[in-house]
Amino acid sequence: MNTSTTDAGAEFIRLTSGRQSVSVRLLSTEPVLEDLGVRYYDAEIVISSDFVNATLPLGFDSNDLDEWGELLDATAEVDGEPDGEEPFAADWPRAGRSAYLRFIADDPYVIEVHDAPSTGIGVSVPVDMDEGWPAEAKERLAAVRALLGGARSALSPRHRAESLVHIDAVPGG
C-alpha cells in the first residue's frame, strides 16, 4: 500500500481498477474548524479514467471517518450475497452537505461522484477492484486517523450507526 504521510496529498480513499479510479486526498492535517469536539477537514475527490479526469473539493469531519469505516464493514458483510438481490449502496460523506461518493457494491463496483450542492453534476465510475481492496482501504483509514492525531467521532457508537446512510435499492441495478 502506498499512502502518503505528508500533510498535503494523503490519499485515504482509493478505489481503483488500474485504468480508472476514484480517490479522496486530504489537503491538510490541520482542521479548518473544530466545534463541539468535531473536527472539519478539507479534501478533494480525484476521478481518473480514459473518459474523464476531474478534481472536486470535498469537506468532511471526524464523524465521517467513522462512517467510512462502517461502510467498509457493511460492504464486507454483503459482499457474498447471492446474485439477483439489489446491491448494497451508501453515500459518503452523507449526501447534501458537500460533494459525496455513492458507493454501490455490485459487480463491478460503481462509484458515483456527486457535486450535488454546487453544479448538480454526477459521474459514475465502474471499478473492478481485486479481493484485497477492503483490507487496504482499512489500512488507509487507520493511516489517515493516525495522521490526524487519532481523529475519532464525538458521537456514541449507537448514534454513529444510525447516521450511516444506506440506500437499499439501486434503480436499474
Side-chain angles (χ1 to χ4, degrees), residues 12-170:
F12 68 96
I13 296 176
R14 180 157 183 76
L15 307 166
T16 184
S17 60
R19 293 188 61 143
Q20 45 200 34
S21 66
V22 175
S23 59
V24 177
R25 285 193 300 222
L26 183 65
L27 295 180
S28 173
T29 59
E30 295 299 317
V32 293
L33 175 70
E34 187 165 349
D35 186 33
L36 300 173
V38 177
R39 290 177 259 170
Y40 298 84
Y41 299 94
D42 284 334
E44 62 186 2
I45 299 171
V46 180
I47 305 166
S48 178
S49 75
D50 290 339
F51 176 69
V52 64
N53 292 294
T55 303
L56 181 66
L58 169 73
F60 73 95
D61 63 44
S62 48
N63 295 331
D64 293 325
L65 292 176
D66 293 337
E67 290 179 8
W68 176 243
E70 292 165 8
L71 190 151
L72 292 171
D73 292 341
T75 301
E77 289 177 20
V78 299
D79 207 22
E81 283 187 1
D83 292 335
E85 291 187 26
E86 292 295 328
F88 167 82
D91 294 342
W92 186 91
R94 284 167 266 133
R97 299 180 311 162
S98 74
Y100 65 95
L101 305 177
R102 175 162 292 153
F103 183 85
I104 304 169
D106 207 353
D107 187 18
Y109 290 91
V110 176
I111 312 305
E112 294 178 356
V113 179
H114 295 269
D115 185 23
S118 182
T119 65
I121 293 173
V123 175
S124 293
V125 182
V127 287
D128 192 12
M129 296 182 289
D130 64 27
E131 289 184 21
W133 82 267
E136 182 177 329
K138 288 180 180 185
E139 288 175 23
R140 286 180 182 280
L141 177 59
V144 81
R145 279 188 172 138
L147 192 60
L148 298 177
R152 299 291 291 181
S153 172
L155 296 177
S156 70
R158 181 178 65 89
H159 287 104
R160 282 195 315 266
E162 291 171 357
S163 69
L164 183 61
V165 176
H166 293 278
I167 303 156
D168 295 324
V170 176

